[in-house]
Amino acid sequence: MAQARNLGINGQRLWDSLMEMAKIGATVKGGCCRLALTDLDKQARDLFVRWCAQAGCTMRVDRMGNIFARRAGRRPDLAPVMTGSHLDTQPTGGRFDGVYGVLAGLEVVRTLNDLGLETDRSVEVAVWTNEEGSRFAPAMVASGVFAGVFDLDYGLSRADEDGKTMGAELERIGYAGTEPVGGREIHAFFETHIEQGPILEHENKTIGIVTDAQGQRWYELNLTGVESHAGPTPMGRRKDALLGAARIVELVNRTGLDNAPYACATVGMMKVLPNSRNVIPGRVFLTVDFRHPSDEVLAGMDASLRAGVGRICKDIGLGCEIEQIFYYKPVHFNDTCVASVRQGAAEFGYSTREIVSGAGHDACYLAKVAPTAMIFVPCVDGISHNEVEDAKPEWITAGANVLLHAVLDKAGHLA
Ligand SMILES: [Zn+2]
């Protein structure tokens, strides 16, 4: 698309908008705490809505509180091209996770306005409710409802620790919309996001062309041994549940290493009972988190875990319950959307690398109902879900430039 060459977004305006948004829920350590459907989330939504209205967009809110800002195209009968992410954060979150994908979308709209560029298809900027899953579990619940993964009643009935439901909190902050959730055609969906890992920065690449997102399997294990006195019980007569857990931690780590380079394998939580210094632990609860972009490899990791845990528990004489509590299939993003991203990066001569997303994103659910791709930019030291989360302005500009071109490529445009 020759006439698209050298068109770029306004990096300073995008940065200023990010910093303005970051004031809502700003923490003393320079991060953000903007939990889903709190008063602060409402303020952030209100600011986004005001900016979009100023940019000439029409606004719609669906029953899950997802917001869609639409810049009309020449052919309103055609399915829109959509981009977006989330405005909620972790309790000790950063200034870029999610909000970057939302405001990069707004910056694309503002740039199209500046240039007087019409697109054939309408362009929509989406804000997905409760992506983080911090206040209301599970994560990405509203894009999940949009994609038909969860039903609406399930989504609206998710409750926080105080028993307040998403449905009631959406009413309270004035974002319980009337639009049906999903069920409409989307021509393409793009999500721009910080990598939340160290690879791009380490390799000195500006743009991550995201081809896949890892699948995940989460487990809960309950090991049962025999509690007994740490003094009088000889070593050979113990059924130590924590010893079993220690060997399982080693097994999980080895399973990850055996499936390098893409596998991730983590024991993140353990509860030892009775957790007393002079009692041999009788029970241990622990969690396992496996991730890999290939479903087959994940299934192999599952088999290794089950066989290994069986062996360990038999050796020590432990009882064991192992339950898979979450399964999230790997996502392969749409090849033509990925090509639009690759081409956008090439237009600017940015250094690129193909990359697999290690985290879940709204785009992973959108991929079920629309051709979808993601654009990653580096973040400093790979740190995210942390108040020190940071990104360089040139990375922020680059990702939005690539988004602009990917959107134009899919929306079709006239100078
Ligand atoms: Zn995010």
Side-chain angles (χ1 to χ4, degrees):
M1 231 166 259
Q3 67 269 49
R5 279 179 206 282
N6 305 319
L7 299 184
I9 59 99
N10 182 332
Q12 188 62 49
R13 178 172 56 194
L14 171 55
W15 185 264
D16 291 345
S17 297
L18 280 163
M19 294 308 112
E20 188 67 29
M21 189 62 90
K23 291 178 186 166
I24 302 173
T27 63
V28 283
K29 288 185 187 164
C32 277
C33 174
R34 211 165 45 229
L35 298 182
L37 309 186
T38 55
D39 291 349
L40 291 169
D41 187 15
K42 173 186 164 53
Q43 280 179 42
R45 287 163 174 261
D46 289 350
L47 179 58
F48 172 75
V49 167
R50 189 158 74 244
W51 279 340
C52 290
Q54 284 165 0
C57 293
T58 52
M59 309 302 297
R60 287 190 299 173
V61 181
D62 74 17
R63 294 188 61 196
M64 282 305 298
N66 298 317
I67 307 172
F68 304 95
R70 182 178 178 105
R71 182 183 190 265
R74 292 169 60 245
R75 299 278 309 276
D77 53 310
L78 297 178
V81 172
M82 190 185 279
T83 184
S85 191
H86 57 98
L87 289 175
D88 66 321
T89 74
Q90 291 286 330
T92 52
R95 299 171 297 166
F96 301 95
D97 176 2
V99 60
Y100 172 47
V102 171
L103 296 183
L106 172 61
E107 179 53 38
V108 165
V109 166
R110 288 169 165 173
T111 299
L112 296 178
N113 290 347
D114 289 349
L115 298 170
L117 266 184
E118 277 191 294
T119 51
D120 288 336
R121 294 176 185 276
S122 300
V123 173
E124 293 192 18
V125 183
V127 175
W128 304 107
T129 299
N130 187 53
E131 191 274 348
E132 295 288 0
S134 180
R135 182 176 177 200
F136 303 96
M140 304 176 291
V141 65
S143 55
V145 174
F146 190 91
V149 177
F150 308 117
D151 62 35
L152 178 64
D153 289 341
Y154 174 85
L156 292 175
S157 63
R158 295 307 86 205
D160 69 5
E161 279 188 352
D162 300 330
K164 291 178 180 160
T165 63
M166 287 188 68
E169 286 296 272
L170 279 169
E171 293 280 355
R172 188 185 67 81
I173 67 165
Y175 279 89
T178 52
E179 294 281 328
V181 187
R184 62 190 176 105
E185 198 193 337
I186 297 164
H187 183 63
F189 179 79
F190 296 100
E191 182 169 356
T192 314
H193 209 282
I194 55 168
E195 180 198 341
Q196 304 183 285
I199 297 170
L200 293 174
E201 189 189 33
H202 179 71
E203 296 185 4
N204 209 11
K205 304 284 199 238
T206 306
I207 297 292
I209 299 165
V210 188
T211 56
D212 298 85
Q214 288 182 331
Q216 305 180 26
R217 284 176 184 259
W218 294 5
Y219 305 85
E220 290 183 352
L221 279 70
N222 280 290
L223 307 181
T224 317
V226 176
E227 286 157 24
S228 57
H229 197 300
T233 317
M235 295 308 288
R237 303 198 53 144
R238 296 174 178 217
K239 291 181 177 175
D240 182 342
L242 183 55
L243 177 63
R247 291 185 183 166
I248 290 169
V249 171
E250 185 63 38
L251 165 75
V252 166
N253 187 253
R254 191 159 4 93
T255 305
L257 292 171
D258 286 348
N259 291 282
Y262 294 117
C264 291
T266 307
V267 175
M269 189 195 285
M270 199 181 278
K271 281 183 195 155
V272 180
L273 292 165
N275 210 29
S276 171
R277 72 182 71 240
N278 54 1
V279 179
I280 297 162
R283 274 182 298 152
V284 173
F285 166 85
L286 70 157
T287 61
V288 175
D289 175 325
F290 279 164
R291 302 184 187 212
H292 197 281
S294 153
D295 213 18
E296 281 160 30
V297 176
L298 262 187
M301 291 167 70
D302 176 86
S304 307
L305 177 72
R306 290 175 191 278
V309 167
R311 234 175 7 249
I312 289 164
C313 290
K314 192 165 169 233
D315 262 13
I316 307 174
L318 302 177
C320 177
E321 285 166 31
I322 175 164
E323 188 189 354
Q324 180 178 299
I325 57 149
F326 178 66
Y327 169 57
Y328 181 82
K329 234 174 140 57
V331 177
H332 180 65
F333 288 114
N334 178 271
D335 291 337
T336 75
C337 289
V338 171
S340 297
V341 171
R342 190 178 290 116
Q343 186 187 317
E347 294 272 354
F348 288 89
Y350 294 136
S351 56
T352 63
R353 178 200 207 281
E354 294 201 348
I355 194 164
V356 171
S357 174
H361 293 287
D362 293 307
C364 300
Y365 281 150
L366 265 290
K368 291 180 181 293
V369 289
T372 295
M374 293 190 75
I375 302 159
F376 275 0
V377 299
C379 53
V380 174
D381 296 329
I383 294 173
S384 180
H385 284 189
N386 188 313
E387 290 160 276
V388 305
E389 179 183 278
D390 202 5
K392 293 184 183 166
E394 57 264 37
W395 300 338
I396 291 299
T397 299
N401 273 334
V402 174
L403 177 67
L404 171 68
H405 280 248
V407 166
L408 283 175
D409 191 38
K410 287 295 180 189
H413 71 288
L414 296 169

